[in-house]
Amino acid sequence: MIVVGSILWAAALLVIAASLAVAITSIRFRRPRLSLVTIAPVAIGLAGAAFLISVPAPSHAVAVIGGIGLALLGVVAGNPITVAVLAFADRGTGATVTDGHHGGIILKESRDGTRRDAEVLRGGTTIGYVERLVVIAAIVLGHLEIVAVLIAVKGLGRFSELDSPEIRERFIIGTLVSLAWAGACALLIVV
């Protein structure tokens, strides 16, 4: 049984490392849909935990390495996964959203009959990384109130930019996907 458990945990560490490599590759080559494959191992892990599938406990070193790997996966893969989901949400709307130079998105505005490009939600990429890191840390430490404060601060900080339906929609979808992904990875660390 010890050999089977060791093989199982070694395979789990390899899957986490491969998923992290896929996430980094999808960011590097701007192919966010590629990162969606990283959802499968996290979903399988969560399903195993939900159905109480019995596996031997890992050694302390394997648990620490796996936890760090899952935390990295939660922080890093959240970016391309969120981008892929936002692209899916924009599908069929005729919206052409382009990335801005400062981590935001370029929005075509025509309020008073003039057209201009405006970068909104600046720093969104960096904020996403930080928010996922905070969510994972809060869940692992058992302080969920930190997540509530994070959501409140993010909403208040972006309030002035949420003046159009398109921006609000992207903000809500992006935040929910990012938080859900970080929460799923953190849940795997805890269980």
Side-chain angles (χ1 to χ4, degrees):
M1 188 68 162
I2 293 174
V3 173
V4 172
S6 297
I7 292 172
L8 177 69
W9 287 109
L13 291 178
L14 283 173
V15 168
I16 292 169
S19 295
L20 192 54
V22 167
I24 292 168
T25 301
S26 70
I27 293 168
R28 174 71 177 97
F29 294 106
R30 297 184 185 272
R31 301 282 184 250
R33 284 185 281 169
L34 176 63
S35 69
L36 295 176
V37 301
T38 64
I39 294 172
V42 172
I44 290 169
L46 289 174
F51 290 111
L52 303 173
I53 295 176
S54 177
V55 293
S59 69
H60 182 69
V62 169
V64 169
I65 292 169
I68 291 170
L70 282 168
L72 286 171
L73 185 63
V75 171
V76 174
N79 176 10
I81 289 172
T82 302
V83 170
V85 171
L86 284 169
F88 179 75
D90 287 341
R91 196 186 72 201
T93 63
T96 52
V97 177
T98 55
D99 293 333
H101 295 293
H102 304 287
I105 57 169
I106 304 296
L107 181 69
K108 309 286 186 192
E109 293 189 41
S110 60
R111 291 200 178 132
D112 54 359
T114 62
R115 295 205 46 93
R116 65 181 180 92
D117 293 344
E119 186 172 0
V120 293
L121 302 177
R122 292 169 50 124
T125 301
T126 304
I127 292 169
Y129 284 119
V130 173
E131 92 182 11
R132 288 186 294 277
L133 180 64
V134 170
V135 166
I136 290 169
I139 292 171
V140 169
L141 295 173
H143 290 283
L144 298 180
E145 63 275 8
I146 295 172
V147 177
V149 171
L150 172 81
I151 293 169
V153 167
K154 186 174 179 185
L156 289 172
R158 292 291 196 189
F159 183 75
S160 64
E161 292 181 276
L162 303 176
D163 56 351
S164 77
E166 298 87 5
I167 296 171
R168 282 191 299 272
E169 180 180 281
R170 289 186 65 81
F171 177 78
I172 292 169
I173 292 170
T175 298
L176 289 177
V177 170
S178 181
L179 293 175
W181 175 251
C185 290
L187 188 59
L188 272 181
I189 295 169
V190 173
V191 298

